[in-house]
């Protein structure tokens, strides 16, 4: 067994003539929290989407627990993954977005149970029991039968986290999970994420919450212009950024 969750080497991604990722090298150990900061348009979301196979790579590779994303090795040769193989890999990865993206016509419980029942074909009863435990963990036991529209943004995002966890992922990706929230609701979502980290979940978190990165992150990455400009221990990077671009960015967000 390897203790590496993700290994990325030379990852490139273009949209037409636009080079969005210009060679990302990264290793993410299991059980770690990696925070990614950087200006808008620097490629943070695209990188997460590549890990989760919502985008295809143009160069380099990403291994998730040793398995190459997007390709399959058969008889010593590389083949494009078929749909089912890609879906199976994605089942192990939970993703939480800036917009909560709950199904509006379903209750909280139905939102959480939908994917495990439909995709993993688990029994509804077993999934519902797990969903109730998850709702307790995110502090929303009393909202089991509520509809998303009746919840605050912070509550909706906590449901979205519980929904991702219901698939029992081995890796959680967060793309600016608190950016759409009113300031007074940010803390409750970060608290849930902090507990998840304390429980040993491997997490990659794109965020502007520098305090979270400092206190919860094991590793901090600063991206700009499609590349990693600087990375390291969060406290060190935040206290003594080595690159001018990192300094300028931090001066704006802190
Ligand atoms: P970030 O998350 O750091 O703000 P993104 O990864 O969303 O950055 O975007 C990086 C660059 O790629 C931006 O210039 C953006 O406009 C461009 N981009 C992202 N997705 C697409 C797409 N589907 N088609 C064309 N350009 C895209
Ligand atoms: Mg983004």
């Amino acid at each position: 067994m390897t203790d590496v969750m993700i290994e990325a080497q030379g990852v490139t991604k273009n949209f037409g003539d636009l080079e969005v990722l210009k060679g990302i090298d990264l290793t993410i150990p299991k059980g770690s929290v990696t925070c990614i900061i950087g200006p808008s348009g620097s490629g943070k979301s695209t990188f997460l989407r590549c890990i989760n196979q919502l985008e295809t790579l143009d160069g380099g590779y990403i291994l998730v627990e040793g398995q190459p994303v997007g390709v399959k090795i058969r008889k010593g040769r590389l083949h494009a993954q078929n749909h089912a193989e890609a879906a199976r890999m994605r089942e192990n990865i939970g993703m939480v977005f800036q917009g909560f993206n709950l199904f509006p016509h379903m209750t909280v419980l139905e939102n959480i149970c939908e994917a495990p029942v439909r995709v993993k074909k688990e029994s509804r009863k077993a999934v519902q029991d797990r969903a109730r435990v998850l709702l307790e963990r995110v502090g929303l036991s009393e909202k089991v039968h509520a509809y998303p529209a009746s919840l605050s943004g912070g509550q909706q995002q906590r449901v979205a986290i519980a929904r991702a966890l219901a698939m029992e992922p081995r890796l959680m990706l967060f793309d600016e999970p608190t950016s759409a929230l009113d300031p007074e609701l940010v803390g409750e979502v970060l608290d849930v994420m902090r507990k998840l980290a304390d429980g040993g979940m491997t997490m990659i978190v794109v965020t502007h919450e520098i305090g979270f990165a400092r206190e919860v992150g094991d590793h901090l990455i600063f991206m700009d212009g499609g590349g990693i400009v600087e990375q390291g221990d969060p406290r060190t990077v935040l206290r003594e950024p080595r690159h001018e671009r990192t300094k300028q960015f931090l001066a704006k967000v802190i």
Side-chain angles (χ1 to χ4, degrees):
M1 272 309 271
T2 160
D3 54 2
V4 174
M5 179 59 74
I6 300 234
E7 189 189 332
Q9 279 294 325
V11 172
T12 61
K13 174 71 187 172
N14 307 323
F15 289 113
D17 290 340
L18 186 67
E19 286 183 276
V20 175
L21 298 177
K22 298 177 186 168
I24 303 285
D25 300 335
L26 187 63
T27 302
I28 293 185
K30 285 184 184 166
S32 68
V33 177
T34 300
C35 293
I36 305 181
I37 58 173
S40 179
S42 54
K44 307 180 299 294
S45 295
T46 303
F47 182 60
L48 288 192
R49 292 169 58 83
C50 285
I51 293 173
N52 205 16
Q53 306 199 47
L54 298 170
E55 303 285 355
T56 54
L57 310 188
D58 289 313
Y61 64 83
I62 299 176
L63 306 180
V64 181
E65 295 190 283
Q67 291 277 345
V69 157
V71 292
K72 192 89 189 165
I73 302 164
R74 268 192 219 100
K75 296 179 184 159
R77 295 175 66 179
L78 289 180
H79 297 265
Q81 272 184 345
N82 65 33
H83 184 71
E85 289 161 347
R88 213 170 303 130
M89 234 171 137
R90 215 183 274 130
E91 277 178 24
N92 292 321
I93 304 177
M95 191 154 181
V96 174
F97 302 89
Q98 181 174 332
F100 329 115
N101 306 342
L102 298 176
F103 308 119
H105 57 291
M106 292 184 188
T107 66
V108 164
L109 189 67
E110 288 163 353
N111 262 279
I112 296 173
C113 295
E114 178 69 8
V117 170
R118 293 229 185 274
V119 180
K120 281 190 161 174
K121 313 287 182 213
E122 292 185 66
S123 90
R124 190 168 288 276
K125 174 77 181 72
V127 176
Q128 284 181 346
D129 289 347
R130 194 158 80 229
R132 288 174 195 276
V133 174
L134 286 168
L135 277 174
E136 196 172 321
R137 248 167 75 188
V138 303
L140 290 173
S141 293
E142 78 283 12
K143 299 294 184 186
V144 177
H145 300 299
Y147 282 88
S150 71
L151 304 178
S152 73
Q155 291 172 332
Q156 288 186 51
Q157 193 61 304
R158 287 187 278 149
V159 173
I161 294 171
R163 182 175 63 171
L165 293 175
M167 288 292 280
E168 303 189 301
R170 299 172 58 74
L171 167 68
M172 283 286 286
L173 308 177
F174 293 87
D175 194 356
E176 301 200 33
T178 60
S179 293
L181 297 176
D182 291 333
E184 74 272 21
L185 304 178
V186 167
E188 65 194 53
V189 173
L190 294 181
D191 284 346
V192 165
M193 292 169 60
R194 185 190 306 257
K195 269 202 282 179
L196 197 54
D198 289 345
M201 178 63 80
T202 310
M203 298 166 49
I204 307 179
V205 184
V206 173
T207 187
H208 297 302
E209 295 295 330
I210 299 297
F212 180 87
R214 184 189 293 113
E215 287 151 32
V216 183
D218 297 299
H219 194 72
L220 181 64
I221 291 174
F222 172 64
M223 280 182 72
D224 193 13
I228 295 176
V229 174
E230 181 160 355
Q231 58 179 310
D233 168 67
R235 286 161 210 259
T236 310
V237 173
L238 293 170
R239 194 176 49 230
E240 297 157 9
R242 281 178 286 126
H243 291 265
E244 198 50 43
R245 279 191 286 172
T246 318
K247 288 179 196 167
Q248 286 172 1
F249 177 76
L250 289 175
K252 280 184 223 158
V253 296
I254 291 182

